Amino acid sequence: MLGAQRLTQALEHAVNHDSLTGASTRASFKAQVARLPPGPKAVLLVDIDHFKAVNDRFGHQAGDTALCQFAMRLKRNCREDDIVARFGGEEFVVLLHDVEIEAAQAAAERLCAKLREAPLVLEGQAHRLTASFGVAILSDTARLDDALARADAALYRAKNGGRDRVCVADG
């Protein structure tokens, strides 16, 4: 019976966590958010700047290493009850609990600076990797897709504005 329980736990972990980075999967993120109690929340969309250049210069294995290191740094600099998920490629999402827009923006600015200050180690050498952030308030967990769309629009403003920065969604 113990073996079956371990297998079930391993399967649940595999379904709910990205196999490369250990962050939550997109589906797991959405399920976790749907179960949250009411209260102020924010979503941060985070996209690694110029990630294609890492893969082009160092190869995909080094790119995978960079993604793992990036995800670890992102999780390490978030609160324990915040949710960090890989949304695809080099894009991540963070859900912040109990925050209004000013605190969410400050948290994103802090994360942006922490990621900038901590170089990734690729092939034994330190390389600076930055990220752009889009921030949106999530006032109702049933409207997660709307908040993600607003955060995505803000993320694109950050990318178009020079990258390595935080932009807050309108409204």
Side-chain angles (χ1 to χ4, degrees):
M1 189 65 162
L2 190 57
Q5 185 180 14
R6 283 191 183 141
L7 180 58
T8 300
Q9 289 173 338
L11 287 172
E12 285 177 5
H13 188 271
V15 167
N16 293 318
H17 295 86
D18 178 62
S19 61
L20 179 64
T21 65
S24 293
T25 61
R26 178 188 293 248
S28 174
F29 175 82
K30 288 186 172 191
Q32 290 175 73
V33 170
R35 292 189 302 265
L36 292 173
K41 297 166 192 56
V43 290
L44 314 178
L45 274 181
V46 186
D47 191 73
I48 301 172
D49 296 328
H50 304 292
F51 187 74
K52 184 180 180 313
V54 172
N55 281 331
D56 290 349
R57 181 174 176 197
F58 299 102
H60 289 282
Q61 186 172 0
D64 287 351
T65 298
L67 284 170
C68 290
Q69 289 181 33
F70 183 87
M72 182 177 53
R73 288 191 174 107
L74 193 60
K75 287 186 280 187
R76 190 182 307 140
N77 286 289
C78 287
R79 299 171 301 182
E80 191 174 318
D81 64 339
D82 294 334
I83 304 169
V84 177
R86 184 173 178 203
F87 252 41
E90 65 274 6
E91 188 173 74
F92 293 82
V93 64
V94 178
L95 182 116
L96 303 176
H97 297 272
D98 300 319
V99 294
E100 299 294 344
I101 194 64
E102 296 83 9
Q105 181 177 2
E109 295 282 359
R110 182 182 51 78
L111 283 169
C112 189
K114 290 279 189 186
L115 294 168
R116 179 186 317 116
E117 294 164 2
L120 299 177
V121 178
L122 300 173
E123 296 182 355
Q125 295 181 5
H127 298 277
R128 190 177 125 185
L129 200 62
T130 62
S132 299
F133 288 73
V135 180
I137 286 298
L138 175 62
S139 55
D140 177 0
T141 57
R143 297 186 48 94
L144 176 61
D145 288 338
D146 177 58
L148 289 169
R150 288 184 289 111
D152 193 48
L155 172 64
Y156 275 91
R157 283 200 325 272
K159 291 280 191 185
N160 292 331
R163 301 178 195 267
D164 188 24
R165 67 188 63 225
V166 173
C167 284
V168 175
D170 297 331

